[in-house]
Amino acid sequence: TLTVLDNLNLTIGRGEKVAIIGPSGSGKTTVLRMLMTLETIDGGVIRVEGEPLTHMERGGKLVPADQAHIRKVRAKIGMVFQSFNLFPHMTALQNCIEAPMKVLGLSREKAEARAMDLLAHVGVADRASHRPAELSGGQQQRVAFCRALANGPKLLLADEPTGSLDHATGETIMQLMLNLNQELGTTLVLVTHDLALSRRCDRRLVMEAGQASWQP
């Protein structure tokens, strides 16, 4: 009975930095959740690097994708959740090696080496053996950031990545994302209420009652 997104139609180019802004309840986070297939769409097709995410080709036609296809395409996407969503029973290091080992099939040795490099890059390598409850909010966000990057995603999604952080920590996280975009060409899609942060992106998508428009 509720239309959350109404005829959303947009293209985001490889390597772009896009901020999604708008009032609460306008559908911003739902866009990210659709890209992570955490929400099911009622119509249309989502494509990642030209490959359908929600559908797959069979007999020359597009049909709803099975889980194997979704996992394969979704491996190109990383997401940093607003509430971090770290596995509470795992250490920071374990949080960052779970997906590379299960999705990419990396050995534990290679997954741990990659994870430690990422944790060192964001300044929390000394917290690798700590569980989320033993970390500050800023440290948890950095670990969540590393976990999202552990698979080497082509597209990084972030839901209010600096919303619950102090200014200095938020600036560090934002700079890390910008560096990632510049150095590796990773596409960034950010949901934010921070207008200063949104102005550092290439374009801003404004959501209003399920409708989307590019801000001039």
Side-chain angles (χ1 to χ4, degrees):
T1 58
L2 174 66
T3 300
V4 179
L5 295 172
D6 188 8
N7 194 31
L8 181 65
N9 187 7
L10 67 130
T11 299
I12 295 173
R14 182 181 287 113
E16 266 199 295
K17 303 184 295 292
V18 171
I20 304 178
I21 60 176
S24 296
S26 59
K28 302 186 301 298
T29 296
T30 302
V31 175
L32 302 191
R33 290 179 61 82
M34 289 191 316
L35 287 166
M36 287 298 293
T37 65
L38 298 174
E39 299 284 356
T40 303
I41 61 175
D42 299 304
V45 179
I46 298 171
R47 297 179 185 272
V48 180
E49 291 196 315
E51 188 174 10
L53 168 67
T54 50
H55 294 71
M56 61 185 184
E57 291 189 10
R58 181 171 291 167
K61 296 181 179 181
L62 285 179
V63 299
D66 58 26
Q67 286 302 309
H69 177 86
I70 289 173
R71 282 195 298 270
K72 177 174 71 76
V73 181
R74 198 172 54 194
K76 302 176 183 180
I77 306 171
M79 182 165 179
V80 182
F81 296 89
Q82 184 176 4
S83 56
F84 313 141
N85 284 11
L86 296 173
F87 299 118
H89 62 291
M90 294 184 178
T91 64
L93 179 62
Q94 289 169 336
N95 265 279
C96 294
I97 67 174
E98 185 76 3
M101 290 174 60
K102 291 194 173 181
V103 177
L104 301 183
L106 290 187
S107 66
R108 177 174 290 274
E109 182 180 12
K110 288 184 178 180
E112 287 187 352
R114 176 183 291 188
M116 287 304 299
D117 184 59
L118 287 168
L119 291 170
H121 191 66
V122 300
V124 290
D126 60 336
R127 296 290 186 268
S129 62
H130 290 60
R131 289 185 171 84
E134 301 170 310
L135 303 174
S136 69
Q139 289 169 341
Q140 288 185 52
Q141 183 68 306
R142 294 179 194 211
V143 173
F145 181 77
C146 292
R147 184 178 65 175
L149 296 180
N151 279 358
K154 302 293 182 67
L155 168 63
L156 180 64
L157 311 173
D159 190 5
E160 292 287 356
T162 61
S164 59
L165 306 177
D166 62 79
H167 177 75
T169 304
E171 178 62 26
T172 298
I173 292 295
M174 187 59 200
Q175 194 57 53
L176 285 168
M177 288 190 287
L178 293 176
N179 290 345
L180 178 73
N181 171 261
Q182 293 172 352
E183 294 169 11
L184 301 179
T186 304
T187 305
L188 300 179
V189 179
L190 318 174
V191 163
T192 184
H193 284 100
D194 186 338
L195 295 182
L197 186 155
S198 72
R199 283 193 286 269
R200 298 171 71 174
C201 294
D202 300 317
R203 290 194 290 168
R204 296 196 286 184
L205 184 72
V206 182
M207 299 296 301
E208 181 67 45
Q211 298 281 336
S213 61
W214 292 108
Q215 190 171 75

